[in-house]
Amino acid sequence: MAGTPRVLRAMNDRAALDLLLEHGTLSRTRIGKLTGLSKPTASQLLARLEAAGLVLATGTSEGRPGPNAQLYALNPAAAHVAGLDVTPERIRAAVADITGRTVGTYEAATPGKRADRPVVRQVTDALDGAVKAAGLTRADVHRLVIGTPGAFDPNTGRLRYASHLPGWHSPTLLGELAAALPMPVEYENDVNLVAAAEQRLGAARGHEDFVLLWNQEGLGAALVLGGRLHRGWTGGAGEVGFLPVPGTPLVRQVTKANSGGYQELAGSQVLPALAREAGLPDLPAGSHAETAAALLTRAVRHPDDERHQRLLRAYATRLATGLASLVSVLDPELVVLSGTSLTCGGEPLRALVQAELAELAAARPRLVVGAVTEHPVLRGALESALATTRDEVFDTSR
């Protein structure tokens, strides 16, 4: 079938759709130049895509010599996807159109250990809230991606590495969700989704081999090797919070403790103690992540205060201790620092971790601060759903 007119048309269609996705609006002439197609062929292509409901005529160009040119754009309503970001405290949901624009959001508190709202009900309520906010129905959603702590073991279908997520460990959960929802559903580790967002939109664009270190309420990593997420045999690749490291007692039965050496050494919960050791005053109580973010933000704002710099140096050493093991094994091109307990430290913290890592590991990847900071797990879920949906919807050969 390779090389047939139908396949060549489909290839040209996809090239034009990708260009419209990248540029927003383009004229027929511009599409022809960017694809190398003649004006008649470009006109036929656009007419075909418009008839298929994938492209809209949006107006004409103005302010240029000569007649105004018709402009074309992707039809935002060609497809919609949804994403869910699940934590022990809440479920955040969003719906995006085919261009990636978020058109509806919803957030609900999770019931904790109470059994009055089963997980399936929590998921469908959150999805329905976002769908309603977008002015759509469930049937309009082509795909749903759910991000959770831990990972669903592909061998058993059960959630692992997330004992703190009540109700999500039933062996029948995936089947129940599939029966309740009319669209394909995918499940992914939350940190892996942050890596997907950074690879498509943020600091890791153009990079095929990188590690994303996440530190917020928990400490974890995502591994992208050869352009693909490495999930591991049970889905647990990147659960570095369990990593034994120097500087902390050896933690045994880590899954029961839901912690490990690296988490105890460099998790967000250590920042208050480091601040006190540096002689800094206490902050108002909050979650571990909120307190860590506030301490790091304050430290960055006081570059000439030795106490704040002492805090940053101590924290950087702890972070680099665990990172040294990761980069020694993986030798990645890039390390992305993400999660509020890292991004709030900004460039000062990044530079200190980079310098410490240079002394602790032979491999010396470049460290960067993550760029996707607004709901990165949810953004990654949407981007993951969009990638698959675009492949399906943009395939005009079928």
Side-chain angles (χ1 to χ4, degrees), residues 318-341:
R318 289 173 175 237
L319 291 168
T321 299
L323 266 179
S325 295
L326 279 177
V327 303
S328 295
V329 172
L330 298 172
D331 189 19
E333 176 188 5
L334 187 76
V335 173
V336 180
L337 304 178
S338 187
T340 55
S341 297

Side-chain angles (χ1 to χ4, degrees), residues 56-385:
L56 296 173
T58 60
T60 57
S61 61
E62 298 179 357
R64 296 180 180 178
N68 294 338
Q70 179 69 59
L71 296 177
Y72 296 88
L74 282 179
N75 178 6
H80 291 87
V81 301
L84 264 63
D85 172 15
V86 179
T87 73
E89 294 77 32
R90 51 107 188 106
I91 297 181
R92 183 178 289 127
V95 173
D97 64 31
I98 197 69
T99 70
R101 183 174 66 95
T102 300
V103 294
T105 61
Y106 183 82
E107 185 171 328
T110 54
K113 297 181 179 180
R114 291 183 288 114
D116 55 341
R117 286 180 65 221
V119 166
V120 173
R121 177 71 181 276
Q122 295 175 42
V123 168
T124 55
D125 284 353
L127 174 63
D128 288 344
V131 165
K132 182 179 179 181
L136 303 170
T137 67
R138 281 191 199 176
D140 296 315
V141 177
H142 282 64
R143 184 173 299 273
L144 170 65
V145 172
I146 300 175
T148 69
F152 283 95
D153 187 333
N155 303 294
T156 65
R158 299 188 69 162
L159 186 67
R160 301 188 65 184
Y161 315 107
S163 59
H164 59 307
L165 202 62
W168 282 78
H169 300 86
S170 166
T172 63
L173 176 60
L174 299 188
E176 292 171 7
L177 285 168
L181 296 169
M183 75 289 292
V185 183
E186 297 175 8
Y187 309 86
E188 187 59 86
N189 169 262
D190 52 1
V191 183
N192 284 349
L193 291 176
V194 178
E198 290 290 350
Q199 189 175 29
R200 294 186 174 98
L201 304 173
R205 289 186 72 175
H207 293 276
E208 297 289 300
D209 289 85
F210 69 94
V211 169
L212 181 135
L213 183 68
W214 170 267
N215 200 0
Q216 199 156 290
E217 291 296 348
L219 196 155
L223 318 176
V224 177
L225 309 174
R228 298 172 64 88
L229 275 167
H230 177 71
R231 296 178 177 85
W233 177 247
T234 65
E239 294 290 341
V240 296
F242 299 133
L243 186 70
V245 293
T248 59
L250 193 63
V251 179
R252 299 185 183 275
Q253 297 185 332
V254 293
T255 55
K256 290 184 178 180
N258 198 39
S259 188
Y262 196 21
Q263 177 70 44
E264 295 299 313
L265 183 72
S268 59
Q269 78 278 4
V270 307
L271 266 297
L274 294 180
R276 287 191 292 272
E277 290 174 9
L280 291 167
D282 289 338
L283 286 170
S287 71
H288 292 321
E290 291 168 343
T291 302
L295 285 167
L296 291 169
T297 299
R298 190 173 67 179
V300 170
R301 290 174 179 170
H302 294 82
D304 298 324
D305 187 318
E306 176 57 26
R307 297 172 302 167
H308 288 101
Q309 298 315 299
R310 195 179 305 137
L311 166 65
L312 289 177
R313 288 194 299 269
Y315 188 43
T317 298
R318 289 173 175 237
L319 291 168
T321 299
L323 266 179
S325 295
L326 279 177
V327 303
S328 295
V329 172
L330 298 172
D331 189 19
E333 176 188 5
L334 187 76
V335 173
V336 180
L337 304 178
S338 187
T340 55
S341 297
L342 295 176
T343 57
C344 286
E347 175 58 22
L349 180 62
R350 184 214 64 81
L352 288 168
V353 176
Q354 182 87 70
E356 283 290 273
L357 190 61
E359 295 193 11
L360 298 177
R364 297 184 179 183
R366 184 166 63 94
L367 268 62
V368 296
V369 179
V372 182
T373 56
E374 184 176 357
H375 307 317
V377 175
L378 190 58
R379 187 70 250 171
L382 292 173
E383 289 300 317
S384 180

